[in-house]
Amino acid sequence: MSVYQSPFERLREKFDDSELECRHCGYRDDSGWNVSTSGSRVQYRFVCSSCEAVETREMRL
């Protein structure tokens, strides 16, 4: 039996699998991406625990 995942959950998993290295300092952080929604937007946010740089990806629905 398979577990259903929304397209947004699958996209977050893709980010978690491939984009956990900070582009500013190179630190590899395993904390993952946070997801938030507000109406017609879905925002994925990654905060580096080493230098506190913020990376965001946003989808408009």
Side-chain angles (χ1 to χ4, degrees):
M1 180 161 80
S2 67
V3 176
Y4 174 76
Q5 288 185 318
S6 74
F8 303 113
E9 290 169 321
R10 290 193 309 264
L11 184 56
R12 187 191 70 210
E13 282 184 358
K14 179 183 179 291
F15 289 150
D16 284 344
D17 289 343
S18 65
E19 299 186 29
L20 290 178
E21 185 173 303
C22 178
R23 292 183 184 196
H24 298 279
C25 71
Y27 180 74
R28 179 149 178 90
D29 195 344
D30 292 329
S31 64
W33 289 73
N34 294 313
V35 181
S36 62
T37 61
S38 61
S40 63
R41 295 176 187 221
V42 178
Q43 186 179 59
Y44 296 85
R45 186 171 180 223
F46 174 77
V47 180
C48 177
S49 60
S50 177
C51 71
E52 298 182 3
V54 177
E55 244 348 278
T56 59
R57 305 284 190 276
E58 184 175 280
M59 293 181 60
R60 294 181 187 179
L61 307 174

